[in-house]
Each structure stands twice: as structure tokens, then as C-alpha cells.
Amino acid sequence: MRLNKTLILLASVILSATSSYTYGTSYQTCVIGDNIKTLRIRYAGSNMPERPIINLNGEDILEISFDELSHTNHQYSYTLLHLNADWTESGLMSTEYVDGFTTADITDYEYSLNTQQLYTHYRFELPNEDMHIKASGNYAVKIYEDGDIDNVVAYACFSVSEQTTDIKVNLRHNTDIELSGRYQQLDIDVSTEGLRLTNPREEIHVYVYQNGRQDNMVSKLVPTYIESNRLRYMNQRQLIFEGGNEYRHFDINSVYILGYGVNKVEFDREYYHAFLFEDETDPTLPYTTAPDANGQYVINAERTDYDDTEGEYMWVHFFMPKSSPWFDGSVYILGDICQNRLDATSRMEYDNEHKAYYKSLYLKQGAYDYEYVFVPKWATKGSLLRTEGSYWQTSNEYTVYVYYRSFGSRGDRLTGVYKVQ
């Protein structure tokens, strides 16, 4: 059964309520409403995890979905915003980036069936018949309740690329600071053919993300060489990243059988609880290869083909033994499991009695990647050196975004995206 409801962007973790974003603020996919869970942005018709990037005038459609933890009727709406390269609102008028409407109600929803946790699953697609995107760049979907644009419950962010810029990336382990050690370095070539440039340093902006992380994102790069139709970013220390380690993962697709990484499952007559094995950390161990999804997750429940509405929710308990806490910073759970946000949602607490960092997250059945990251006090960038170790051999996903803003224009075009791993 499907009802009239507005979409709310959803994260896999509960965030405390805050006021809506204001102009000048950098947008990021997140959940603000207390009762919203499992925010997903994926290609329509696919259950595989992917970074939310579609081609301008292409055939790909994004599906945005989330769960509201009740069977109570809610009315959600959403507004589409065009953003700059730095994820702040651009100066474009709505008629410059979309044909049709920029606001719509979410009318597609279904109640959960045969689940201990009651929830309503909401979904919508972009672009759609009433909302055709006609400008490249970054976008945010602002989801709000009861027609009140200030009553925001979630944001969902994605990118639209023209794919007209040729990008070449060389990933190497012989970096400018050490040889085959803890780091990885990128060299990037960007073609400027077809672009009218008067000042390449000001008109071309390159952004680099490692595994979708926001904290160690690289921007404000200055080309090492400027050629007639190419910009080269070579031997730049900004493009040196910790190699880190392969992600940890666990599987909670069953409430009866212990999945990978799960020590035990209990039911307390109200909630299911999945207790993971203790995660020992020793950054001095040699590198060991292991398959992972670079921090992403998949929703998957046993004994059903309808994961969206028949998947159960479970409290998942994380434990990282440590004889004493680190007093010079905090430990966070990193990955799409927490939308790669370093905040109260993902920050772990230290238990003096059990000598361990711990965290509990309320998650839908599926398979999840995660890792532990240390963030020093007063810092915004995390490090894996203490928690997971760092190795040049680690398989990471790097995504390079190239934006173009011609002189006098009011928005950043995304002319190319390139992934390497």
C-alpha cells in the first residue's frame, strides 16, 4: 500500500535535531529527524552501493529512500538545490538548473510487514517527469515535514556530471615523503580542451575524495604545470593520503544465524541485539589483503525478497578494547554506516570498567563496512595510524571531481568525474 508522504533523507544513525542550513553552509548527506533511519541514495533498480553521481542528460535515475520508525502518517516534501563545488548554495535561479518544479511531495511509501520494529519506507526518484535537471554540478535535496521548509528532517546530496573533461590519474605508493610505506599519492592530469579559459588557476577547481570521506577531502589545488590544453597536478603533498587498512565488516542479514563478524544475537522482547566480536587493533601488524566495499553497505534480509519493507532493525554493539583511553582526541566509527560524519552519531565512548571503546547503532539488516578513526582534539581530520594502521597496499577508492566556472558565471559546472582504486 502506498500513501501521500514526503521524502526524508535518511542516515543509518540517529542525529539530534538541529535547525536547517543557511546560505553559506556546506551541505552534506545527513539525517536530522530523530525517527529517520537508513537513508540511501542509489541507482534505481539496483541494491549495489555506489557513490551518487549521474551523467547530465543520461539515463541513470537516483532513488532516495529512508525509513520513519512508525506506522504513523507523516507528510514529507523535498526541494532541490543547486550547489557550488564546495557544497554551498550557488547563485543560480531554479529555472537555470531544472525544467519543471523544484519542490514536490513524497507520495510513495509502504508500511513494514512482519517486523518487530514498525516503520514506514519512503522513496522517490530524481530526475523525474516533473523535475528534469538541466545543469551539471552538485545538488542537495532538502527534505522537510508538514510543508514547513524550516522543519528539515534530512539532506541528501549527489552530483551531476557532464563527462566532457578527460581526466587521468596515477595512483602510486612511492610518495614524496616515503617509499612503499604508509601513504599513497595521486598525480592528476586534467584536459582543458573545449573550455574557454582566461585564468585556469581560478576557473578550474579539482576536488579529491578517498572512499567518500569528507574529513580528508582535498581541494584548492594549484596546478604544477599549465599547458596549452592541460593542467597537471604533480608531486603535490596535498595529494598524499594515508593508505589506511581494508575496512572491517559484519553481516546481520539474519536474526537467527550468526553472520560474519557477529559474536551473538539476543532478543529482549522489544529489540534484537547483535554483539560484534571485539575489534582488536594493532597498527604494527603486517598488511593482510581482504575484500571490502570501501566503506559502503548493502541492505539485505534473509527469507525475503522485499528488504526495504521486511528487513528487521537491530541494535549493533561495537567494542574496541584499549587499556586506557586516548586523552588527546576521540575515536569514531567511519564509513557510510554513519554517512562518514565525525559527530556525536559516530563518536565512541570509553568504558573504564571493561577497558574498551564502545558504541551502539540501530541498523537495518544488511552487510556493513566500517573502520575506527582517531581525531585529535581541535582537529577535523581523522587518522587511521593509531587504530587501523596504514599501508601502501590498501585498496582505496579515489574520486576526482573537476569543476569549471567561467569568468562572470554564478555556478560551478561539473565537467568530469574519474574514479580509481
Side-chain angles (χ1 to χ4, degrees):
M1 179 179 182
R2 301 183 186 272
L3 280 179
N4 294 344
K5 290 220 169 193
T6 296
L7 168 56
I8 185 168
L9 278 172
L10 152 114
S12 50
V13 196
I14 296 175
L15 291 178
S16 55
T18 62
S19 59
S20 60
Y21 282 86
T22 58
Y23 185 81
T25 299
S26 181
Y27 287 79
Q28 184 179 346
T29 296
C30 68
V31 171
I32 297 173
D34 290 341
N35 233 29
I36 304 301
K37 299 292 290 178
T38 316
L39 170 64
R40 303 178 74 192
I41 312 172
R42 52 180 169 159
Y43 291 110
S46 172
N47 193 40
M48 298 305 295
E50 291 284 350
R51 307 300 172 194
I53 306 166
I54 60 175
N55 292 338
L56 183 66
N57 298 321
E59 297 182 356
D60 287 332
I61 303 294
L62 292 177
E63 177 184 298
I64 301 173
S65 64
F66 63 93
D67 297 335
E68 193 278 325
L69 299 184
S70 78
H71 279 180
T72 304
N73 186 24
H74 291 265
Q75 182 181 352
Y76 296 110
S77 304
Y78 64 93
T79 294
L80 184 65
L81 304 173
H82 186 270
L83 309 179
N84 293 316
D86 62 359
W87 298 94
T88 59
E89 287 190 45
S90 71
L92 296 185
M93 301 289 292
S94 61
T95 54
E96 296 179 88
Y97 62 85
V98 67
D99 278 332
F101 303 98
T102 56
T103 297
D105 293 330
I106 301 172
T107 59
D108 191 349
Y109 73 88
E110 290 182 276
Y111 295 126
S112 61
L113 181 65
N114 299 324
T115 58
Q116 177 68 21
Q117 170 65 65
L118 299 180
Y119 61 88
T120 306
H121 181 73
Y122 296 86
R123 65 175 296 278
F124 64 93
E125 295 182 347
L126 284 174
N128 54 52
E129 292 182 356
D130 299 321
M131 200 173 290
H132 175 72
I133 297 173
K134 63 180 184 180
S136 66
N138 295 334
Y139 284 85
V141 180
K142 183 178 185 178
I143 304 169
Y144 49 94
E145 190 171 1
D146 296 331
D148 182 358
I149 199 169
D150 292 323
N151 187 15
V152 180
V153 294
Y155 292 95
C157 298
F158 63 94
S159 299
V160 178
S161 176
E162 299 175 16
Q163 290 302 94
T164 56
T165 294
D166 180 51
I167 305 168
K168 295 180 180 178
V169 179
N170 178 39
L171 173 61
R172 55 189 173 94
H173 54 83
N174 289 333
T175 73
D176 290 351
I177 57 177
E178 64 178 17
L179 302 180
S180 299
R182 297 170 296 174
Y183 298 94
Q184 299 172 344
Q185 186 166 358
L186 302 181
D187 293 322
I188 303 171
D189 278 10
V190 176
S191 171
T192 58
E193 189 173 356
L195 300 177
R196 297 181 178 180
L197 299 177
T198 57
N199 187 346
R201 288 186 176 89
E202 298 294 329
E203 295 171 305
I204 297 294
H205 303 280
V206 177
Y207 282 66
V208 182
Y209 296 84
Q210 182 194 54
N211 301 327
R213 290 173 58 178
Q214 299 284 333
D215 62 303
N216 66 348
M217 178 270 296
V218 172
S219 63
K220 299 180 180 178
L221 293 169
V222 176
T224 312
Y225 306 105
I226 300 178
E227 301 175 357
S228 58
N229 61 353
R230 186 167 296 275
L231 304 180
R232 305 182 66 190
Y233 303 84
M234 312 291 292
N235 302 314
Q236 298 206 11
R237 293 209 169 193
Q238 278 182 272
L239 291 173
I240 298 176
F241 295 81
E242 289 181 1
N245 208 338
E246 307 298 347
Y247 280 82
R248 304 172 188 266
H249 52 275
F250 63 89
D251 191 334
I252 53 169
N253 77 325
S254 174
V255 298
Y256 306 105
I257 301 173
L258 299 182
Y260 183 91
V262 179
N263 184 28
K264 62 180 178 178
V265 173
E266 295 179 352
F267 180 63
D268 63 7
R269 297 188 179 183
E270 185 175 5
Y271 299 105
Y272 287 96
H273 295 262
F275 296 85
L276 304 185
F277 286 104
E278 291 185 348
D279 286 314
E280 300 290 345
T281 57
D282 186 353
T284 65
L285 291 176
Y287 170 79
T288 302
T289 184
D292 67 7
N294 292 317
Q296 301 178 94
Y297 66 88
V298 174
I299 299 302
N300 180 31
E302 66 167 353
R303 303 180 184 180
T304 179
D305 293 326
Y306 304 97
D307 306 313
D308 289 338
T309 55
E310 297 184 13
E312 187 58 84
Y313 273 88
M314 309 174 71
W315 280 105
V316 179
H317 304 277
F318 300 77
F319 302 93
M320 190 188 81
K322 181 78 172 58
S323 58
S324 61
W326 285 304
F327 294 104
D328 56 340
S330 301
V331 176
Y332 295 80
I333 296 176
L334 190 66
D336 284 10
I337 190 172
C338 294
Q339 299 294 352
N340 284 303
R341 294 173 63 84
L342 304 179
D343 56 17
T345 298
S346 58
R347 185 172 61 245
M348 304 188 77
E349 303 294 333
Y350 187 79
D351 186 330
N352 283 294
E353 179 181 354
H354 295 93
K355 303 297 182 184
Y357 283 95
Y358 70 93
K359 185 71 179 179
S360 298
L361 300 176
Y362 200 42
L363 304 174
K364 201 171 188 176
Q365 283 181 282
Y368 293 80
D369 272 8
Y370 70 101
E371 60 187 1
Y372 299 114
V373 63
F374 175 78
V375 182
K377 285 185 177 179
W378 319 120
T380 57
K381 180 179 177 179
S383 171
L384 300 170
L385 295 176
R386 292 192 191 184
T387 53
E388 304 289 359
S390 187
Y391 309 89
W392 66 265
Q393 302 100 318
T394 302
S395 174
N396 291 301
E397 176 191 81
Y398 293 94
T399 310
V400 178
Y401 295 70
V402 176
Y403 299 88
Y404 167 59
R405 180 185 290 213
S406 60
F407 180 76
S409 59
R410 294 174 290 108
D412 293 321
R413 292 166 49 189
L414 178 55
T415 60
V417 177
Y418 185 86
K419 292 182 183 180
V420 61
Q421 60 184 68

